[in-house]
C-alpha cells in the first residue's frame, strides 16, 4: 500500500487503496498535475443498529427499514478523508493560495535531491493548467486542509457529480510512502 503525505507537513492525505485516477476536464482531456479519488458520505452518528430482535427493546419504529427515510448529519467518510478539516475560501483567497503554494512547492521540489530536474520542469509547466482548472471549478469546490491545518500545506479540493464527493489533489505536493 502507498500512503500519500503532504510534502510540507508530513500529514497523511490519502492512500492508493482508494484507486487514484487522473482528473479529466470537460472535453475528456487529462489535467496534468492533478489526480482524484472518490469518497463517500456516512451517517455521523452511525444510525440505528438492528441486532435481530426487531423493536423488542424499544427506540425504533416500524419504519426502521424505510428506504425513503432521509439520513441526516452526513459527513465525509473519515477513512477516506484522513481527518480533513473543511475551510472556507473565497475565489481571491484560492487564487492567492495556489500562487503561493505553487511557488513554495516548486522551491521545495528544486531543493529535494530525490526529485529530478525534469519532474520540477513538468510541475512548472503543469501548474498554470491545473490552477486554471481548479479556479474554473471554484463554484463547485469544497476546500479541505490536512489535520495539522497548516495554511502552507497541501489541500484537498472536493466536488460532486452525484451524492458522494470526489477529492482532487495536486500530485507534486504529495510524497509517496510505501508501507
Amino acid at each position: 500500500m502507498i500512503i500519500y503525505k503532504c510534502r510540507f507537513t508530513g500529514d497523511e492525505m490519502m492512500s492508493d487503496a482508494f484507486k487514484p485516477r487522473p482528473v479529466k476536464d470537460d472535453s475528456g482531456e487529462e489535467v496534468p498535475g492533478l489526480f482524484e479519488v472518490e469518497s463517500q458520505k456516512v451517517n455521523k452518528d452511525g444510525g440505528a443498529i438492528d441486532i435481530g430482535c426487531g423493536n423488542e427493546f424499544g427506540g425504533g419504529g416500524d419504519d426502521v427499514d424505510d428506504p425513503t427515510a432521509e439520513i441526516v448529519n452526513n459527513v465525509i467518510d473519515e477513512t477516506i478523508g484522513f481527518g480533513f478539516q473543511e475551510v472556507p475560501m473565497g475565489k481571491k483567497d484560492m487564487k492567492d493560495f495556489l500562487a503561493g503554494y505553487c511557488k513554495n512547492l516548486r522551491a521545495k521540489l528544486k531543493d529535494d535531491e530525490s526529485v529530478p530536474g525534469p519532474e520540477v520542469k513538468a510541475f512548472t509547466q503543469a501548474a498554470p493548467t491545473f490552477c486554471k482548472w481548479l479556479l474554473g471549478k471554484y463554484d463547485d469546490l469544497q476546500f479541505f486542509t490536512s489535520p495539522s491545518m497548516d495554511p502552507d500545506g497541501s489541500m484537498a479540493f472536493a466536488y460532486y457529480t452525484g451524492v458522494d464527493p470526489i477529492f482532487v489533489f495536486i500530485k507534486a505536493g504529495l510524497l509517496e510512502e510505501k508501507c
Side-chain angles (χ1 to χ4, degrees):
M1 178 189 301
I2 296 174
I3 299 291
Y4 294 88
K5 293 184 173 185
C6 172
R7 191 173 289 273
F8 294 97
T9 66
D11 290 339
E12 292 182 0
M13 299 293 286
M14 63 162 291
S15 84
D16 67 342
F18 301 107
K19 299 178 178 71
R21 62 180 185 238
V23 172
K24 306 276 182 162
D25 64 16
D26 292 335
S27 64
E29 297 293 317
E30 187 175 320
V31 179
L34 298 178
F35 62 89
E36 65 185 18
V37 294
E38 288 188 40
S39 183
Q40 61 187 354
K41 285 198 163 192
V42 294
N43 191 331
K44 184 176 183 178
D45 58 8
I49 299 174
D50 184 356
I51 59 169
C53 298
N55 193 22
E56 188 66 28
F57 300 106
D62 294 336
D63 64 346
V64 171
D65 293 328
D66 182 3
T68 62
E70 183 177 347
I71 297 176
V72 295
N73 243 356
N74 283 347
V75 296
I76 303 299
D77 184 349
E78 293 198 11
T79 62
I80 297 174
F82 286 90
F84 293 156
Q85 301 294 317
E86 186 173 4
V87 293
M89 188 173 281
K91 193 165 188 174
K92 183 183 180 325
D93 298 328
M94 182 181 176
K95 191 174 183 177
D96 292 345
F97 167 79
L98 288 171
Y101 179 78
C102 288
K103 180 181 176 185
N104 293 339
L105 182 53
R106 183 175 184 277
K108 189 103 168 153
L109 292 171
K110 284 179 79 171
D111 292 343
D112 188 339
E113 293 177 9
S114 68
V115 178
E119 277 187 40
V120 176
K121 185 176 181 180
F123 168 76
T124 303
Q125 292 173 337
T129 304
F130 71 68
C131 287
K132 182 178 178 181
W133 185 86
L134 286 166
L135 288 166
K137 284 196 75 75
Y138 171 80
D139 291 332
D140 300 326
L141 295 176
Q142 287 178 286
F143 310 96
F144 295 87
T145 68
S146 62
S148 67
M149 297 190 75
D150 186 330
D152 297 324
S154 296
M155 290 191 75
F157 307 93
Y159 70 95
Y160 293 78
T161 57
V163 175
D164 296 323
I166 297 172
F167 283 101
V168 175
F169 300 89
I170 297 173
K171 193 182 294 187
L174 303 178
L175 293 169
E176 293 182 17
E177 182 178 292
K178 291 186 181 189
C179 41

